[in-house]
Amino acid sequence: MILDVFTLFPEHFEWFGRQRHVSNVLAQGSELRFHNYRDTTPLSAGQVDDAPYGGGAGMVMRVDVVDAALEAAYGANRSAVRIAALAPSGRQFDEALAAELAQEPRLALLCGRYEGIDERVVEHLADDSISIGRYVLAGGELPAMVVCDAVMRKLPGALGDAESAVEDSFTDALAGAPEYPHYTRPATYRGWGVPEVLLSGDHGRVRDWRMEQSRSRAQH
Ligand SMILES: C[S@@+](CC[C@H](N)C(=O)[O-])C[C@H]1O[C@@H](n2cnc3c(N)ncnc32)[C@H](O)[C@@H]1O
């Protein structure tokens, strides 16, 4: 898989690229590429934004700047790329969407800044608009990392033990419910015990208990 991140701040991703599951995936042949809008802007002096039509505070990232960045990366043929703009108002990102995106051979994430990106990017250039939650961050870089993290976790070779992701929260294995709780040694700490069933050695009971815990968490 190739993940292309379009951003004004590629350096923000230096830490992210060093995360174990990310470097594991990259070692398996996937790629994480960064495209700085300023490198390909058709405007002078590295301009990427402009004042909003209709007035109001802040600046808006221009559609021609985003288009030029996509053109430089893909040429005229963008049909093989799933292009997603990051926006607070977009489709809520969740585990199902992460699984869907992980099937794509090439995914582009468009990070906005300032007041956001000219809406014509969503209307005409992007396939999706994705939100990581109903709150506003200063830019699309953290949302892009969230999306890349969740997607890359699903790629072959990401995790030391691929089994550990099979029953993650919200997966089909748990019928979309949150995961059950985990406990480890010591069995008693400051008087706090662990559920007896987990110490029983009875795999059937453990399995039933976990499924029940997962179901009950789905109701909260
Ligand atoms: C300051 S925000 C723009 C907020 C916009 N004026 C609004 O009220 O919806 C700048 C950029 O950060 C990114 N961003 C901020 N919060 C986000 C979120 N919850 N999900 C996805 N992207 C987000 C988007 O790329 C957005 O274009």
Side-chain angles (χ1 to χ4, degrees):
M1 182 177 194
I2 301 176
L3 290 113
D4 292 297
V5 179
F6 293 78
T7 172
L8 290 169
F9 301 101
E11 67 276 12
H12 288 196
F13 293 82
E14 281 165 17
W15 164 86
F16 180 72
R18 291 197 302 272
Q19 302 314 295
R20 175 63 65 84
H21 70 293
V22 175
S23 59
N24 283 348
V25 165
L26 300 182
Q28 301 279 325
S30 288
E31 291 181 48
L32 185 56
R33 299 181 185 172
F34 300 99
H35 309 265
N36 191 332
Y37 299 112
R38 280 198 212 284
D39 293 343
T40 50
T41 178
L43 308 174
S44 58
Q47 183 186 348
V48 294
D49 56 353
D50 226 317
Y53 281 126
M59 300 292 272
V60 177
M61 290 187 59
R62 290 176 50 136
V63 60
D64 51 351
V65 168
V66 175
D67 199 21
L70 291 169
E71 180 75 25
Y74 309 124
N77 184 11
R78 299 173 193 170
S79 56
V81 189
R82 176 109 172 234
I83 301 175
L86 295 156
S89 57
R91 171 180 172 187
Q92 179 72 51
F93 186 62
D94 61 13
E95 194 66 16
L97 182 52
E100 186 185 318
L101 296 179
Q103 300 301 316
E104 298 287 346
R106 196 154 189 183
L107 173 65
L109 297 172
L110 308 179
C111 303
R113 276 271 156 179
Y114 319 124
E115 279 305 311
I117 306 177
D118 187 305
E119 191 62 21
R120 287 169 290 184
V121 169
V122 170
E123 291 167 353
H124 302 287
L125 299 179
D127 302 296
D128 304 85
S129 172
I130 296 176
S131 169
I132 63 158
R134 294 177 67 80
Y135 42 81
V136 178
L137 302 172
E141 287 71 25
L142 285 172
M145 283 184 233
V146 167
V147 172
C148 286
D149 191 302
V151 167
M152 293 179 97
R153 221 172 159 272
K154 298 194 173 297
L155 298 182
L159 305 179
D161 179 358
E163 282 297 304
S164 65
V166 172
E167 279 191 6
D168 268 344
S169 290
F170 319 120
T171 53
D172 289 345
L174 296 178
E179 200 190 39
Y180 42 80
H182 294 287
Y183 299 86
T184 187
R185 293 186 183 88
T188 304
Y189 178 70
R190 294 172 62 175
W192 307 326
V194 305
E196 173 277 329
V197 61
L198 297 178
L199 307 175
S200 69
D202 183 333
H203 297 302
R205 278 183 64 215
V206 169
R207 178 104 206 117
D208 290 346
W209 180 85
R210 285 178 166 167
M211 291 301 121
E212 178 49 35
Q213 290 286 314
S214 174
R215 279 192 295 273
S216 79
R217 285 181 161 188
Q219 281 146 29
H220 298 154

